[in-house]
Amino acid sequence: MNPLRWLGKYVIDSIQGLGRASLFLLEVVSGSRKLVRRFDLVVQQVFAVGVLTLLIIVVSGLFVGMVLGLQGYHTLAKFGAADSLGLLVALSLVRELGPVVTALLFAGRAGSALTAEIGLMKATEQLAGMEMMAVNPIERVIAPRLVAGIIAMPLLATMFSAIGVLGGQLIGVGLLGVDSGAFWSQMQSGVSFHEDVLNGVIKSIVFGVVVTWIAVFQGHESVPTSEGVSRATNRTVVYSSLAVLALDFIMTALMFK
Amino acid sequence: MGILRWRAEKLPTVIRKDILNDTRVVTGASDALVEFRDVQFFRGDRAILDGLSLTIPRGKVTAIMGGSGCGKTTLLNLIGGRLRPSAGQVLVDGVSVPGLNTRDLFALRKRMGMLFQNGALLTDLDVFENVAFPIREHKRLPEPILRNVVLMKLEAVGLRGARDLMPAELSGGMARRVALARTISLEPMMVMYDEPFTGLDPISKGVIAKLIRELNTGLGITSILVSHDVADACAISDYAYLIGSGRVIGQGTPRQMQESAVDEVRQFMDGLPDGPVPYRYPAPGYLDDLLQGRRT
Ligand SMILES: Nc1ncnc2c1ncn2[C@@H]1O[C@H](COP(=O)(O)OP(=O)(O)OP(=O)(O)O)[C@@H](O)[C@H]1O
Ligand SMILES: [Mg+2]
């Protein structure tokens, strides 16, 4: 095809997709009002997401923290500031790595699983079956998953950061001999709850919305065949990773001056 | 409540309205539960249904037969309001389905059940929970009563003993029976069966056929039976429609259908490979198509 036409088609398709996704989100949000009475559905989904992602979050958090400890120590030591290692580790995790890496892992693990699950429910007519039983799948299946993703993401990101700090301490204090008191007290005085912790949490809530939104939308839109579902799963991971990185840049620029 | 409801289906309309306490608009006590008037339905620019008119009588088993891909499932989806016709009217119990808003549509769907071609059981719930699903969603029943209702439905399809199995552990025939139990769990006025016999052995077929008949005579449920299997469909239906090229090409009691002299009907009833209904999908000339490769 003529490249110009290809570009035009690509742009139009993307904008249409974005429009459909927005309408879908509106529908899901208005459908989630009913979840107040069926909060058990949300709890179930938070649990499902938690089971999927907790282990990978804990392990990754530990290693990222340990790497931060190593790298940070060698750099800081050049300026004789190794005592600030705790501050460096904590700030990097709470502001950036916690929310971002958690969101990326979440997209790969829980997001893809969500898309596949919803896509297969569509392919096997389970969603159509629900509709015929006068149950709205948007309210019953999609909305609880979106809300669960939004709840789970900040919890997981906080967990990631906490484990990461412990990992940094393990290397910094345990292996490289940074003073334990300095490590913790510098962290305590340097990390602000409002500026750093809260902004990190806001980031991860935004990531939770975006990643779960993409995941459920792709599942719901998927072509109901095995190939269609596998493509949708793929798109979920790619789109949500890109969205997370781009949004992270924008939010960082706005939040931390 | 359930008994009251199916008894009520048979009462004159004026009284019934009070008993059922439903939001529907009850029109005259007509015999037709479902009515298609000149319905057209397009996929892209291909007309799947084209000027189709038929009526489904109350309290009877009506078969809708037709070749693969002739629009039988589409027709059921039109009745269920999952698709909208591009022209014509679809009336269920006197109400125009495409004109309903979501709330009324859902209220109507609670009164009709649909058995999907593949059962469409929820794979993350076991058999018991699958049957309980519509009840849990729509009614507030105390757990012991719910349990009894579900067990009664499962007993009706002979699968009370399979209540703890997951859908993946069921055979095709069992899955369809569980789906049937789920379909009748809200005690609908009407059940639509989409190809209930395909892929089943003769015994399971017999079981399903017997169930359909029993539900119809025992509970007075209007049944719409979609099938391309002439013998099975004729065996249990009171009336049959044959659909071809988007419209009704034959109708009558099973016996009338079997004795019909119309070419299209004959071809279908006797299972002749070619006749008025071509078995090929429209295509360019065969020779031209084969020679294409050499020319380019
Ligand atoms: N989602 C869809 N998109 C486009 N075309 C479709 C879609 N679903 C069905 N069709 C077309 O509509 C026609 C009727 O489909 P339908 O499923 O109603 O057939 P059917 O009579 O139920 O066939 P079968 O006996 O094989 O189940 C088919 O020719 C099919 O190609
Ligand atoms: Mg079909």
Side-chain angles (χ1 to χ4, degrees):
Chain A
M1 215 196 294
N2 171 339
L4 209 60
R5 265 178 70 186
W6 181 86
L7 184 71
K9 183 170 157 22
Y10 181 81
V11 170
I12 290 176
D13 283 353
S14 315
I15 292 177
Q16 273 180 351
L18 211 60
R20 278 201 310 278
S22 310
L23 289 177
F24 178 77
L25 184 64
L26 274 182
E27 208 180 330
V28 177
V29 168
S30 87
S32 57
R33 281 172 312 174
K34 301 216 171 126
L35 287 177
V36 181
R37 269 186 288 126
R38 296 291 311 266
F39 207 70
D40 57 313
L41 293 176
V42 178
V43 173
Q44 256 172 35
Q45 290 306 320
V46 174
F47 181 76
V49 167
V51 167
L52 275 181
T53 28
L54 197 56
L55 187 66
I56 191 172
I57 292 288
V58 167
V59 173
S60 316
L62 187 67
F63 277 100
V64 168
M66 292 191 328
V67 169
L68 274 178
L70 277 178
Q71 293 279 15
Y73 178 81
H74 291 309
T75 313
L76 288 175
K78 277 194 197 139
F79 306 100
D83 280 353
S84 304
L85 184 64
L87 180 61
L88 176 101
V89 169
L91 278 186
S92 323
L93 281 167
V94 170
R95 285 179 168 190
E96 284 298 329
L97 292 170
V100 173
V101 179
T102 304
L104 294 177
L105 292 172
F106 186 95
R109 191 91 174 88
S112 57
L114 268 181
T115 305
E117 188 188 12
I118 295 172
L120 284 174
M121 287 182 88
K122 184 179 176 189
T124 53
E125 294 191 309
Q126 295 182 52
L127 298 185
M130 275 189 197
E131 277 178 24
M132 285 308 295
M133 289 186 276
V135 175
N136 187 345
I138 299 275
E139 287 166 12
R140 181 63 174 69
V141 175
I142 311 280
R145 283 167 171 77
L146 183 71
V147 175
I150 299 172
I151 295 177
M153 188 74 92
L155 295 179
L156 290 167
T158 312
M159 179 84 80
F160 185 98
S161 299
I163 304 268
V165 168
L166 289 182
Q169 193 246 8
L170 199 72
I171 295 296
V173 176
L175 197 70
L176 301 173
V178 176
D179 178 52
S180 169
F183 185 92
W184 292 110
S185 66
Q186 289 247 7
M187 191 189 309
Q188 230 169 27
S189 57
V191 180
S192 134
F193 181 73
H194 277 280
E195 299 274 303
D196 303 315
V197 178
L198 222 52
N199 275 338
V201 171
I202 291 175
K203 269 188 181 180
S204 62
I205 292 177
V206 172
F207 295 157
V209 174
V210 171
V211 172
T212 331
W213 172 25
I214 291 177
V216 292
F217 176 69
Q218 291 297 341
H220 194 257
E221 279 259 302
S222 63
V223 181
T225 58
S226 20
E227 199 209 358
V229 174
S230 100
R231 276 164 182 258
T233 311
N234 219 323
R235 278 200 300 270
T236 293
V237 176
V238 174
Y239 291 174
S240 45
S241 304
L242 290 177
V244 164
L245 295 173
L247 280 173
D248 181 53
F249 176 76
I250 296 171
M251 283 193 288
T252 304
L254 293 177
M255 283 172 172
F256 305 105
K257 288 180 189 121
Chain B
M1 173 66 203
I3 294 181
L4 200 65
R5 180 173 276 265
W6 70 256
R7 284 274 157 74
E9 294 288 352
K10 296 175 174 167
L11 295 174
T13 331
V14 193
I15 311 172
R16 210 178 58 206
K17 189 179 173 188
D18 295 325
I19 294 182
L20 290 179
N21 191 20
D22 272 332
T23 52
R24 63 178 156 170
V25 189
V26 180
T27 56
S30 95
D31 264 356
L33 183 58
V34 179
E35 215 178 328
F36 276 62
R37 291 190 194 144
D38 275 323
V39 171
Q40 263 191 340
F41 181 80
F42 285 89
R43 288 276 188 198
D45 46 7
R46 195 158 66 95
I48 308 293
L49 302 181
D50 192 6
L52 180 109
S53 300
L54 54 75
T55 53
I56 310 276
R58 249 176 237 282
K60 297 262 165 44
V61 180
T62 306
I64 293 176
M65 302 184 292
S68 260
C70 75
K72 303 183 297 293
T73 303
T74 307
L75 189 140
L76 295 187
N77 280 326
L78 285 166
I79 298 176
R82 294 191 57 236
L83 298 173
R84 289 160 165 276
S86 8
Q89 282 184 300
V90 179
L91 304 174
V92 175
D93 207 12
V95 180
S96 166
V97 178
L100 292 177
N101 62 25
T102 317
R103 228 183 78 233
D104 293 340
L105 183 62
F106 273 43
L108 179 66
R109 281 183 187 162
K110 282 182 206 169
R111 302 193 295 130
M112 50 192 185
M114 175 151 170
L115 186 68
F116 279 81
Q117 237 163 321
N118 58 16
L121 293 176
L122 301 173
T123 41
D124 56 341
L125 301 178
D126 64 12
V127 165
F128 182 95
E129 284 304 321
N130 259 291
V131 178
F133 180 82
I135 310 176
R136 283 196 202 285
E137 291 295 317
H138 295 306
K139 295 190 175 156
R140 299 244 165 278
L141 288 188
E143 200 62 23
I145 298 184
L146 177 100
R147 181 170 178 277
N148 285 354
V149 173
V150 172
L151 291 185
M152 273 160 58
K153 302 297 171 195
L154 280 173
E155 178 68 21
V157 298
L159 288 177
R160 193 162 46 84
R163 74 188 91 159
D164 293 328
L165 297 182
M166 295 305 283
E169 298 168 314
L170 301 174
S171 75
M174 285 160 82
R176 217 164 289 172
R177 275 147 71 193
V178 173
L180 184 52
R182 183 179 69 175
T183 308
I184 56 171
S185 63
L186 287 181
E187 327 232 328
M189 59 172 179
M190 165 175 108
V191 177
M192 301 182 266
Y193 303 90
D194 195 356
E195 309 277 8
F197 303 119
T198 28
L200 297 188
D201 66 281
I203 299 176
S204 313
K205 265 192 202 177
V207 172
I208 298 267
K210 184 167 148 274
L211 284 171
I212 295 177
R213 223 34 271 192
E214 274 172 5
L215 288 174
N216 180 250
T217 49
L219 301 179
I221 296 177
T222 305
S223 311
I224 305 177
L225 175 69
V226 155
S227 178
H228 46 226
D229 193 319
V230 177
D232 291 326
C234 282
I236 59 167
S237 55
D238 300 309
Y239 201 79
Y241 286 96
L242 180 60
I243 296 185
S245 33
R247 57 169 68 89
V248 174
I249 53 176
Q251 56 176 298
T253 60
R255 160 161 290 227
Q256 284 168 344
M257 293 293 278
Q258 240 124 31
E259 288 164 2
S260 166
V262 182
D263 277 351
E264 283 107 328
V265 181
R266 278 263 63 80
Q267 187 197 347
F268 195 80
M269 303 301 286
D270 300 341
L272 305 176
D274 228 345
V277 183
Y279 88 102
R280 288 192 191 87
Y281 201 87
Y286 191 31
L287 192 63
D288 280 353
D289 226 0
L290 290 180
L291 291 177
Q292 196 97 82
R294 205 182 300 165
R295 275 196 223 122
T296 50

PDB file of all heavy atoms in Angstrom, chain B residues 69 71-74 117 194-195 226 228, ligand 2:
ATOM      1  N   GLY B  69     -25.327 -21.733   8.405  1.00  0.00           N
ATOM      2  CA  GLY B  69     -25.049 -20.362   7.964  1.00  0.00           C
ATOM      3  C   GLY B  69     -26.234 -19.663   7.343  1.00  0.00           C
ATOM      4  O   GLY B  69     -26.092 -18.603   6.738  1.00  0.00           O
ATOM      5  N   GLY B  71     -28.648 -18.370   9.010  1.00  0.00           N
ATOM      6  CA  GLY B  71     -29.107 -17.297   9.887  1.00  0.00           C
ATOM      7  C   GLY B  71     -29.988 -17.747  11.027  1.00  0.00           C
ATOM      8  O   GLY B  71     -30.757 -16.952  11.567  1.00  0.00           O
ATOM      9  N   LYS B  72     -29.863 -18.996  11.443  1.00  0.00           N
ATOM     10  CA  LYS B  72     -30.711 -19.481  12.535  1.00  0.00           C
ATOM     11  C   LYS B  72     -30.290 -18.883  13.872  1.00  0.00           C
ATOM     12  O   LYS B  72     -31.117 -18.387  14.640  1.00  0.00           O
ATOM     13  CB  LYS B  72     -30.644 -21.017  12.617  1.00  0.00           C
ATOM     14  CG  LYS B  72     -31.051 -21.694  11.321  1.00  0.00           C
ATOM     15  CD  LYS B  72     -31.049 -23.195  11.433  1.00  0.00           C
ATOM     16  CE  LYS B  72     -29.691 -23.796  11.724  1.00  0.00           C
ATOM     17  NZ  LYS B  72     -28.712 -23.650  10.638  1.00  0.00           N
ATOM     18  N   THR B  73     -28.983 -18.897  14.131  1.00  0.00           N
ATOM     19  CA  THR B  73     -28.508 -18.296  15.381  1.00  0.00           C
ATOM     20  C   THR B  73     -28.805 -16.796  15.383  1.00  0.00           C
ATOM     21  O   THR B  73     -29.202 -16.226  16.407  1.00  0.00           O
ATOM     22  CB  THR B  73     -26.997 -18.561  15.541  1.00  0.00           C
ATOM     23  OG1 THR B  73     -26.779 -19.967  15.493  1.00  0.00           O
ATOM     24  CG2 THR B  73     -26.487 -18.014  16.857  1.00  0.00           C
ATOM     25  N   THR B  74     -28.619 -16.184  14.229  1.00  0.00           N
ATOM     26  CA  THR B  74     -28.936 -14.761  14.088  1.00  0.00           C
ATOM     27  C   THR B  74     -30.383 -14.490  14.494  1.00  0.00           C
ATOM     28  O   THR B  74     -30.669 -13.528  15.212  1.00  0.00           O
ATOM     29  CB  THR B  74     -28.730 -14.336  12.625  1.00  0.00           C
ATOM     30  OG1 THR B  74     -27.419 -14.721  12.220  1.00  0.00           O
ATOM     31  CG2 THR B  74     -28.912 -12.855  12.444  1.00  0.00           C
ATOM     32  N   GLN B 117     -25.180 -22.935  21.474  1.00  0.00           N
ATOM     33  CA  GLN B 117     -24.691 -24.069  20.708  1.00  0.00           C
ATOM     34  C   GLN B 117     -23.653 -24.874  21.496  1.00  0.00           C
ATOM     35  O   GLN B 117     -23.637 -26.087  21.444  1.00  0.00           O
ATOM     36  CB  GLN B 117     -24.094 -23.562  19.386  1.00  0.00           C
ATOM     37  CG  GLN B 117     -24.746 -24.176  18.173  1.00  0.00           C
ATOM     38  CD  GLN B 117     -24.457 -23.393  16.890  1.00  0.00           C
ATOM     39  OE1 GLN B 117     -24.418 -22.170  16.870  1.00  0.00           O
ATOM     40  NE2 GLN B 117     -24.264 -24.111  15.811  1.00  0.00           N
ATOM     41  N   ASP B 194     -30.396 -23.620  20.689  1.00  0.00           N
ATOM     42  CA  ASP B 194     -29.589 -23.477  19.480  1.00  0.00           C
ATOM     43  C   ASP B 194     -28.840 -24.778  19.213  1.00  0.00           C
ATOM     44  O   ASP B 194     -27.899 -25.108  19.932  1.00  0.00           O
ATOM     45  CB  ASP B 194     -28.610 -22.307  19.631  1.00  0.00           C
ATOM     46  CG  ASP B 194     -28.025 -21.889  18.291  1.00  0.00           C
ATOM     47  OD1 ASP B 194     -28.335 -22.554  17.286  1.00  0.00           O
ATOM     48  OD2 ASP B 194     -27.271 -20.901  18.261  1.00  0.00           O
ATOM     49  N   GLU B 195     -29.260 -25.492  18.213  1.00  0.00           N
ATOM     50  CA  GLU B 195     -28.632 -26.767  17.841  1.00  0.00           C
ATOM     51  C   GLU B 195     -28.395 -27.660  19.054  1.00  0.00           C
ATOM     52  O   GLU B 195     -27.262 -27.999  19.350  1.00  0.00           O
ATOM     53  CB  GLU B 195     -27.263 -26.520  17.175  1.00  0.00           C
ATOM     54  CG  GLU B 195     -27.268 -25.532  16.040  1.00  0.00           C
ATOM     55  CD  GLU B 195     -27.676 -26.157  14.726  1.00  0.00           C
ATOM     56  OE1 GLU B 195     -28.101 -27.330  14.735  1.00  0.00           O
ATOM     57  OE2 GLU B 195     -27.600 -25.457  13.713  1.00  0.00           O
ATOM     58  N   VAL B 226     -33.853 -24.700  17.242  1.00  0.00           N
ATOM     59  CA  VAL B 226     -33.144 -24.413  16.000  1.00  0.00           C
ATOM     60  C   VAL B 226     -32.268 -25.601  15.674  1.00  0.00           C
ATOM     61  O   VAL B 226     -31.539 -26.087  16.533  1.00  0.00           O
ATOM     62  CB  VAL B 226     -32.287 -23.150  16.184  1.00  0.00           C
ATOM     63  CG1 VAL B 226     -31.125 -23.167  15.226  1.00  0.00           C
ATOM     64  CG2 VAL B 226     -33.132 -21.921  15.964  1.00  0.00           C
ATOM     65  N   HIS B 228     -30.334 -28.095  12.258  1.00  0.00           N
ATOM     66  CA  HIS B 228     -30.278 -28.468  10.842  1.00  0.00           C
ATOM     67  C   HIS B 228     -30.502 -29.971  10.707  1.00  0.00           C
ATOM     68  O   HIS B 228     -30.387 -30.525   9.625  1.00  0.00           O
ATOM     69  CB  HIS B 228     -28.975 -28.020  10.176  1.00  0.00           C
ATOM     70  CG  HIS B 228     -27.743 -28.330  10.965  1.00  0.00           C
ATOM     71  ND1 HIS B 228     -26.747 -27.420  11.161  1.00  0.00           N
ATOM     72  CD2 HIS B 228     -27.373 -29.432  11.617  1.00  0.00           C
ATOM     73  CE1 HIS B 228     -25.803 -27.966  11.891  1.00  0.00           C
ATOM     74  NE2 HIS B 228     -26.164 -29.181  12.185  1.00  0.00           N
TER      75      HIS B 228
HETATM   76 MG    MG C   2     -25.874 -21.327  14.621  1.00  0.00          MG
END
